[in-house]
Amino acid sequence: METEGEAEFVRQESQRLYALIGQAPQTPGMAARTPAQETLPALWNEVAEVQKGGLTLRSKPSAGNIEEACLLLLASARHLLDTEKPTATQLARWLRQSGCPFDRLDRVLNDAVKRGEILAAGHRRSRRYELTHSGLSKAALAAHRLAQKIAG
């Protein structure tokens, strides 16, 4: 994400982005933690739950968007299971448990990999997926929408 404008506007947008992805700002002079960062772990608990070492989304993303479901599951795994790079097998199992039908996971995630939201390494079932910063920010925005949908 790129931001242009006055220095104060860029600083505010940068803080907002770091709050969404749950990381401390990287530039000196910014606040160490924002209130949004303090509530971020609660957000992942609202959209996903840990079941028998795996994850399940509490609600399907809008319009059955499987790619968005993958982003949510990868971010939830990072925050709830402390798993940075789940395997394709794990992610596929979590999608099925969440009630998100798909044919092939690699095809579902192909566009996200091309956009640089997800990094993929390995082959076949041992392939591992990892969110980039842009993927994590997109997942955080999707999580906010899903949490609002769940809350009603």
Side-chain angles (χ1 to χ4, degrees):
M1 180 170 135
E2 292 184 23
T3 305
E4 292 183 15
E6 298 292 322
E8 180 62 21
F9 174 75
V10 171
R11 186 185 66 74
Q12 289 173 349
E13 286 298 302
S14 180
Q15 283 181 329
R16 187 180 66 80
L17 176 63
Y18 280 115
L20 284 174
I21 63 174
Q23 293 185 349
Q26 302 296 317
T27 56
M30 289 188 178
R33 291 192 60 81
T34 65
Q37 286 175 308
E38 297 295 336
T39 62
L40 198 61
L43 175 65
W44 300 115
N45 282 321
E46 286 181 38
V47 298
E49 59 187 346
V50 178
Q51 291 183 345
K52 298 179 184 176
L55 288 172
T56 303
L57 292 177
R58 293 183 188 271
S59 178
K60 291 181 189 178
S62 59
N65 189 341
I66 304 301
E67 183 181 304
E68 189 173 285
C70 290
L71 290 173
L72 288 166
L73 286 167
L74 287 169
S76 296
R78 182 180 200 170
H79 292 284
L80 300 177
L81 299 176
D82 200 27
T83 303
E84 293 282 328
K85 302 176 186 177
T87 64
T89 304
Q90 289 174 311
L91 187 56
R93 184 175 58 239
W94 300 340
L95 280 170
R96 285 188 201 98
Q97 287 175 344
S98 299
C100 298
F102 65 97
D103 290 326
R104 288 194 42 189
L105 189 59
D106 58 334
R107 291 183 183 160
V108 169
L109 296 178
N110 192 33
D111 289 338
V113 171
K114 285 180 182 177
R115 285 191 306 266
E117 296 167 354
I118 296 175
L119 298 175
H123 299 288
R124 300 184 184 245
R125 285 182 236 148
S126 65
R127 188 174 188 109
R128 292 189 173 270
Y129 294 101
E130 178 183 10
L131 284 177
T132 62
H133 289 296
S134 64
L136 186 55
S137 63
K138 188 173 179 179
L141 292 172
H144 282 285
R145 284 193 306 270
L146 190 59
Q148 288 174 346
K149 178 181 170 185
I150 292 170

